Amino acid sequence: QVQLVQSGAEVKKPGASVKVSCKASGYTFTSYNINWVRQATGQGLEWMGWMNPNSGNTGYAQKFQGRVTMTRNTSISTAYMELSSLRSEDTAVYYCARSLYCSGGACYSMGYWGQGTLVTVSS
Amino acid sequence: QSVLTQPPSASGTPGQRVTISCSGSSSNIGSNDVSWYQQLPGTAPKLLIYSNDQRPSGVPDRFSGSKSGTSASLAISGLQSEDEADYYCAAWDDSLNGRVFGGGTKLTVL
């Protein structure tokens, strides 16, 4: 069965960077896009970007351009999301989510989700 | 301020049918498919509906989706207490070149 297992909670100081991992299993890692979505406490879902694990191509939400980097290590079926220049407003649960299906070169919906990683930014 | 607009709350009694709306524009719902996600308290979101009206395997047929123009709706029939959750719509936005979510609707089963 498809599983996405994320790294553990992190506490960072303002200005630092955080790198969250998402280890995939139960399917061919390079066949489906990985998205990253975050959720501040009591708030809604916010899409951060996507990555094609096969090509390494990425697309980031305008809000995070210049601060976020999505990468992967195909040998261990793991995707990474690194967010830099952290501020208190970045305190949130960060989720990785795999596309449900891909067709004609595009991938659709987010059908499988990791358990989430709490990132706390505090001085 | 979310790009997609949802009512912040909805409610119903067990057995009732409730609908949740999601309003967008020509650059998102008007030209791309809509997905719906259910988030139970303290858990990761779960895909309920994709491609406007398709259910992934394992999602009960009590849940249905529809789209018309620049709006979409999620309907839940035969409401159950375990349906109490937050519901989010999402779509790709061609102008923003990114995926956008609605602000979420908190469903209460009375």
Side-chain angles (χ1 to χ4, degrees), chain B residues 9 43 47 49 51 59 61 64 73 76-77 106 110:
Chain B
S9 63
T43 70
L47 179 65
I49 297 289
S51 296
V59 173
D61 59 7
S64 62
S73 291
I76 309 171
S77 60
K106 184 175 184 61
L110 303 169

Side-chain angles (χ1 to χ4, degrees), chain A residues 4-12 18-24 36 78-82 92-96 114-119:
Chain A
L4 300 172
V5 178
Q6 299 183 222
S7 49
E10 303 260 15
V11 179
K12 296 292 182 181
V18 68
K19 191 170 186 178
V20 179
S21 68
C22 172
K23 182 169 177 58
W36 289 88
T78 300
Y80 303 93
M81 186 284 299
E82 184 170 21
V93 175
Y94 289 75
Y95 295 100
C96 61
Q115 83 277 19
T117 297
L118 175 61
V119 175

Side-chain angles (χ1 to χ4, degrees), chain A residues 42-107:
Chain A
Q43 303 300 308
L45 302 173
E46 182 174 33
W47 181 80
M48 300 179 69
W50 63 270
M51 181 190 65
N52 180 318
N54 184 45
S55 63
N57 289 345
T58 55
Y60 303 140
Q62 292 174 2
K63 175 176 179 177
F64 300 102
Q65 292 270 5
R67 266 207 319 143
V68 70
T69 305
M70 296 176 187
T71 58
R72 86 292 190 209
N73 183 334
T74 57
S75 67
I76 56 172
S77 300
T78 300
Y80 303 93
M81 186 284 299
E82 184 170 21
L83 188 63
S84 62
S85 302
L86 290 170
R87 34 209 189 230
S88 59
E89 310 89 88
D90 294 318
T91 295
V93 175
Y94 289 75
Y95 295 100
C96 61
R98 198 208 84 174
S99 296
L100 177 66
Y101 71 98
C102 299
S103 175
C107 294

Side-chain angles (χ1 to χ4, degrees), chain B:
Chain B
Q1 192 82 352
S2 301
V3 174
L4 304 182
T5 301
Q6 297 180 234
S9 63
S11 63
T13 57
Q16 253 190 338
R17 182 178 188 270
V18 297
T19 61
I20 297 171
S21 61
C22 176
S23 177
S25 67
S26 58
S27 64
N28 42 65
I29 293 178
S31 51
N32 295 292
D33 287 342
V34 177
S35 298
W36 289 90
Y37 300 87
Q38 177 193 59
Q39 187 176 33
L40 299 171
T43 70
K46 169 190 171 183
L47 179 65
L48 270 187
I49 297 289
Y50 68 98
S51 296
N52 305 319
D53 57 7
Q54 302 298 300
R55 282 186 309 276
S57 60
V59 173
D61 59 7
R62 301 188 296 107
F63 295 91
S64 62
S66 63
K67 184 181 102 167
S68 178
T70 58
S71 294
S73 291
L74 172 71
I76 309 171
S77 60
L79 199 61
Q80 300 178 4
S81 58
E82 54 261 41
D83 298 333
E84 193 160 282
D86 294 323
Y87 293 84
Y88 296 89
C89 59
W92 185 265
D93 190 294
D94 294 331
S95 295
L96 297 174
N97 198 29
R99 191 167 303 279
V100 292
F101 282 100
T105 298
K106 184 175 184 61
L107 176 63
T108 300
V109 181
L110 303 169

